[in-house]
Amino acid sequence: MTQTSDREAVLILGGRSDIGQAIAARFAAAGHAVNLAARGAASLEPARADMALRHGVPVSAAEFDVLDTAAMAGFVDGLDPEPGIVVCVVGAMGKQAESERDLEAAARVMRSNYEGPALILGLFAERMAARGRGVIVGVSSVAGDRGRASNYVYGSAKAGFTAFLSGLRNRLHGAGVRVITVKPGFVATRMTEGMDTPTPLTAQPDEVGRAVLRAVEGRGGDVLYVRPVWRLVMGIIGALPESVFKKTRL
């Protein structure tokens, strides 16, 4: 795979998801070579070919399973070229009720949203720090801002991922590597299909793609709420005293 002019190659971990493909399309339109990494990568061929034809940039697909931690080092070493920008969109919401009674289901949610994303980004961080440049983008969630009864297993994993990104950013400051945390809020995707999500709080996948590209290009801060109203909403929820909060069913 060749790299497009001076644009860094972009790796999308979770390249099958609606958000992952929207982010990939935005970077491809901006002239970046893109690699879509996901399980069953061969089935991404139609999307890969369409994106390459539509935007005239190299687009590839790679096999990646965020739960297969033993294969991660080999996956990173096998990438050619090394990506200058890594975006991790991997996640699994699961069902709260199932996670409360099924340890394996709960562990799968925790590993998919925290363990796997943190470990793979940690590997890329080491390589980027060694060469003194790179951008890491972790797509976390507002659900991690405060644990809520309706989704605290998923939210606790996202809280861990948010904290990991914060620590990584703190460690790599001044090393030439940027770390960006993205909190999309509700997004109209297959994951939220059937959920009653308020329109003002619900972004479209392309909004997330546009916001991530802007952040990587330096037009935004290190912690990004795709719809700014979420910063206010979660600020209010976070400020509720525990004595009040525990009586709610958010």
Side-chain angles (χ1 to χ4, degrees):
M1 185 171 68
T2 57
Q3 191 167 334
T4 304
S5 65
D6 59 345
R7 301 280 187 180
E8 294 276 13
V10 181
L11 173 68
I12 308 290
L13 299 167
R16 183 187 304 284
S17 69
D18 295 330
I19 296 176
Q21 297 230 341
I23 294 171
R26 279 285 173 177
F27 276 97
H32 294 263
V34 171
N35 190 352
L36 302 169
R39 288 182 296 181
S43 64
L44 288 172
E45 175 56 25
R48 184 209 67 74
D50 178 73
M51 200 174 296
L53 180 64
R54 191 181 299 271
H55 301 294
V57 296
V59 180
S60 57
E63 189 67 29
F64 173 71
D65 183 350
V66 78
L67 298 179
D68 188 0
T69 55
M72 286 182 176
F75 169 79
V76 174
D77 290 339
L79 294 171
D80 180 25
E82 287 188 70
I85 302 164
V86 176
V87 182
C88 183
V89 195
V90 175
M93 185 173 290
K95 296 180 179 178
Q96 174 63 30
E98 183 181 11
S99 293
E100 290 171 9
R101 63 175 183 269
D102 184 335
L103 290 181
E104 289 191 10
R108 192 161 51 248
V109 171
M110 293 172 179
R111 295 188 65 213
S112 298
N113 292 291
Y114 174 62
E115 182 193 72
L119 290 177
I120 189 69
L121 292 186
L123 289 176
F124 281 111
E126 289 299 301
R127 285 155 176 78
M128 290 180 177
R131 65 176 187 261
R133 76 174 200 282
V135 181
I136 289 171
V137 180
V139 176
S140 189
S141 173
V142 298
D145 286 8
R146 188 165 193 178
R148 294 179 288 123
S150 60
N151 66 357
Y152 64 83
V153 174
Y154 170 78
S156 66
K158 287 297 191 183
F161 188 44
T162 296
F164 177 86
L165 293 168
S166 176
L168 194 61
R169 180 165 45 246
N170 186 227
R171 171 196 158 199
L172 295 176
H173 179 68
V177 182
R178 288 186 62 210
V179 179
I180 300 169
T181 305
V182 180
K183 300 181 182 182
F186 296 133
V187 185
T189 66
R190 285 166 289 183
M191 184 183 288
T192 59
E193 200 169 43
M195 294 174 61
D196 184 18
T197 57
T199 300
L201 298 178
T202 306
Q204 297 300 314
D206 185 59
E207 282 184 71
V208 183
R210 185 169 61 246
V212 169
L213 177 63
R214 285 174 58 85
V216 170
E217 290 177 340
R219 295 178 288 165
D222 295 327
V223 180
L224 171 67
Y225 288 80
V226 173
R227 290 205 170 182
V229 66
W230 273 109
R231 189 183 296 275
L232 173 64
V233 170
M234 296 313 299
I236 293 171
I237 291 175
L240 289 175
E242 198 65 29
S243 59
V244 175
F245 184 68
K246 68 183 180 183
K247 296 175 182 175
T248 69
R249 284 294 178 267
L250 295 173

